Amino acid sequence: MAIDPIPETPSLTRSTTAVLDPADNPSFQITAANKSYKHQYSNIYFVRLRLLRQSVEERAHRRWGNHQSKPILVPRVLEVVKSRMCYIVGTVYMDMPLKPNVIEDLARDQSIPPPPPNRKFYSPEDSVMLEDESGRIRLVGEFVKSARLVTGVIVGALGAETANGDFEVVDLCFPGMAPQESVEDTRMDVDGDASDEDEDEWVAVVSGLGVGSLSPPDAQIQMLVEYLAGEQGGVAEQVSAARISRLIIAGNSLAQLLPTAQGDSGDAELSSRKSKRYGYDAASFSPHPVLALSDYLLDIASALPVHILPGESDPSGTILPQRPFPKAMFGAVAKLPTFSCETNPSYLRLGCQSEEAPNRPPIERNLLINSGQPLDDMFKYLPSPPHTRLSVLESTLKWRHMAPTAPDTLWCHPYFGVDPFIITTTPDLYIVGNQKRFATKVVADEDKNGQGSKARCRIVLVPEFSRTGVLVLINLRSLHVKTVTFAVQGMTGAGGGEDVKHPEPVITPSTPLLEPASTAPKSSLGSEYL
């Protein structure tokens, strides 16, 4: 009786990528040279307008130069002439009754608890202003009502002044996507033939691990660790995991700090008698989430490089940019050269050269990553539907600014003479973490006259892992995207309270031009928050 030979297991070699010099990308590090809080926040708006005004004027001239009304450029918004078609350039300011107002907070009776914060700033009573160094003028018209605008965007407006002093807008012009270092078609075979992807280098992105929450996804995180280390599944899964060259954790690795049972007792005298160990009060703080996260990171960083960004719920500064975690808090993993702590936001420039196929050309990719706070804040300014998080993120590329609402409603450092949130070079990958659901799209610069920057960028929304169990994989050569969902029978996901029936990791290709539906159970949140 013949016995079939045991199939040989292919030798697996981890794909490698290298972190390259950031080139012209701005740094988000707060150094001694810019660590000052004595400057006014208005400097950021003046610098932003000065740096982006020329791009808007040039694009507006190409867009409206051949208009039948022969509009002229008015250098200051208060110098517009009534009934004369013209265009002006300035900074958008949204006057919104529901937006937080510090003056009202100071005038409120402090004995009365404040109302809960609004989840949306948008209301029908909102008005749009355009301002520059000379003053401010109100924008009106049906075109403005349907436009996607938030505070801090630099825009050119075509129209004429009305009898009551408002500016009626008929068209808007934005700076457009910033130039890209290299836009050859051979570098970005977006959603092309996937036959060669088995040899390509991939990068994994996850966000919102939520370690230390009331119902932590410990089993899902352990499955994630084993998958990345190549210890889970069959040969096909191990081969897929071996192509992952590094992992990016885009914020909210730890859940929000909640008092322990002793801390809720309210016994101040007992709390004062408690001895403090290592500089913290053990009655109101537990180190176990940090220790658990450190163990996970040690297992992953022993297999592949890891980049971790702080997020809104992490023990880091509140204002943007958030500083990197101190490595010492993560214990043994801090000693590994494969473990890196990054700022939020952060630029990463990766280069890859396939050792298995040395004849393949080397490639470089520029990544822009943040943990989701700017997008969450901008989404409050707009009605939804029709606006989605994916469409707002696409607009930030055309605005050339990743966080225009800072410092109005998004806290940021009081920079003087510089605005690091301006997108000076269009990245190849624009990744935002801690979103409600996964979505992706390829954005290309659109110019009616064919004179745009010709830039292309893949934008990716990474969902919270604690709610969805989704890991996002991105091919650095083709920019193709797919997801892996970690769940077992009996687990709950996406806050819906239903069983997720995926006993094995499920790999799902992305749909690049649409916002795909989540594979997790339906969320209990309303559509206006998604």
Side-chain angles (χ1 to χ4, degrees), residues 390-411:
L390 192 66
S391 64
V392 176
L393 185 61
E394 177 184 355
S395 295
T396 60
L397 289 172
K398 299 176 181 179
W399 298 336
R400 292 197 192 183
H401 206 283
M402 68 184 77
T405 57
D408 184 25
T409 53
L410 182 65
W411 296 354

Side-chain angles (χ1 to χ4, degrees), residues 304-333:
L304 74 163
V306 176
H307 302 265
I308 184 170
L309 282 69
E312 185 177 11
S313 65
D314 292 322
S316 181
T318 304
I319 64 174
L320 293 182
Q322 291 181 287
R323 297 189 183 186
F325 287 120
K327 280 190 173 183
M329 69 181 288
F330 295 112
V333 69

Side-chain angles (χ1 to χ4, degrees), residues 88 126-130 137-147 149 157-172:
I88 53 179
D126 298 340
S127 58
V128 183
M129 308 288 182
L130 193 68
I137 190 171
R138 190 160 75 108
L139 304 182
V140 296
E142 294 299 324
F143 195 90
V144 175
K145 294 180 180 179
S146 60
L149 295 173
L158 174 66
E161 187 180 13
T162 62
N164 58 356
D166 297 333
F167 192 81
E168 186 170 1
V169 178
V170 296
D171 196 10
L172 293 173

Side-chain angles (χ1 to χ4, degrees), residues 64 73 77 79 111 131 133 141 147 200 208 249 294-295 327 404 412 460 490 496 520:
W64 302 320
L73 171 63
V77 299
E79 295 178 356
S111 63
E131 63 181 16
E133 301 89 344
D200 291 348
I249 305 177
S294 302
D295 292 339
K327 280 190 173 183
C412 74
V460 183

Side-chain angles (χ1 to χ4, degrees), residues 29 43 57 76 104 110 113-114 125 145 151 185 195 201 301 304 322 327 346 349 408 431 449 462 466 468 474 516 521:
Q29 290 282 0
N43 294 315
E57 291 179 355
R76 289 179 172 82
E104 295 179 359
Q110 300 301 318
E125 291 77 24
K145 294 180 180 179
T151 293
D185 293 337
S195 59
E201 300 83 357
L304 74 163
Q322 291 181 287
K327 280 190 173 183
S346 181
R349 188 176 182 83
D408 184 25
I431 302 170
N449 299 326
V462 182
S466 59
T468 62
I474 306 172

Side-chain angles (χ1 to χ4, degrees), residues 35 77 99 109 147 165 278 303 321 333 366 381 388 417 425 446 515:
K35 186 181 179 181
V77 299
K99 194 165 61 175
D109 186 354
Y278 310 113
V333 69
N366 196 20
Y381 282 75
T388 64
T425 302
E446 298 176 359
E515 186 170 0

